[in-house]
């Protein structure tokens, strides 16, 4: 069982940066691959990035590749998403999630979810 709590969302100007964090409870955090998804109003939940259990492998959606960086700290039970050069198409509620499946971009394969944090980008 893993409980996830996101933080770090907010309002930023286009071209700016934000760092999202996700704190996990429980002693089994390092057994899970972690992912970030986002959902804008009226749209389906969208894959953003995932990282494997050790943090040695990552995967990104094409729309964020080169701008976003996912990382994790297993000692601190946290996963982060650094977002640079934010664009008007990036606003959404961002969710972190946990899965036992490596490299998954399918939200159906994630077992545990946080409550989400809102990211807003002003042009």
């Amino acid at each position: 069982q893993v409980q996830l709590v996101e933080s770090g969302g907010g309002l930023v100007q286009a071209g700016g940066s934000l760092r999202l964090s996700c704190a996990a409870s429980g002693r089994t955090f390092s057994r899970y691959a972690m992912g970030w998804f986002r959902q804008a109003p009226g749209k389906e939940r969208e894959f953003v990035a995932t990282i494997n259990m050790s943090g040695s492998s990552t995967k990104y959606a094409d729309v964020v590749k080169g701008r976003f960086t996912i990382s994790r700290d297993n000692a601190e039970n946290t996963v982060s998403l650094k977002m640079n050069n934010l664009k008007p198409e990036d606003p959404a509620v961002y969710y972190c999630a946990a899965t036992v499946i490596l490299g998954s971009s399918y939200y159906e394969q994630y077992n545990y979810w946080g409550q989400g944090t809102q990211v807003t980008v002003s042009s």
Side-chain angles (χ1 to χ4, degrees), residues 15-65:
S17 299
L18 276 178
R19 186 181 187 91
L20 306 183
S21 293
C22 175
S25 65
R27 289 183 242 178
T28 59
F29 176 72
S30 62
R31 297 180 186 177
Y32 293 91
M34 300 298 296
W36 285 95
F37 289 77
R38 66 187 185 185
Q39 189 166 19
K43 295 188 176 181
E44 292 190 354
R45 194 162 295 194
E46 175 185 33
F47 168 73
V48 174
T50 186
I51 188 167
N52 70 345
M53 289 72 167
S54 67
S56 62
S57 178
T58 57
K59 176 181 172 181
Y60 297 91
D62 287 343
V63 294
V64 306
K65 201 173 293 183

Side-chain angles (χ1 to χ4, degrees), residues 102-119:
L102 291 175
S104 175
S105 59
Y106 299 100
Y107 70 85
E108 299 92 339
Q109 294 181 338
Y110 284 75
N111 306 98
Y112 303 103
W113 292 83
Q115 83 289 349
T117 186
Q118 178 72 51
V119 171

Side-chain angles (χ1 to χ4, degrees), residues 82-99:
K82 180 65 186 303
M83 305 184 294
N84 294 326
N85 189 21
L86 282 159
K87 298 182 177 182
E89 57 264 35
D90 292 322
V93 177
Y94 282 70
Y95 299 90
C96 73
T99 179

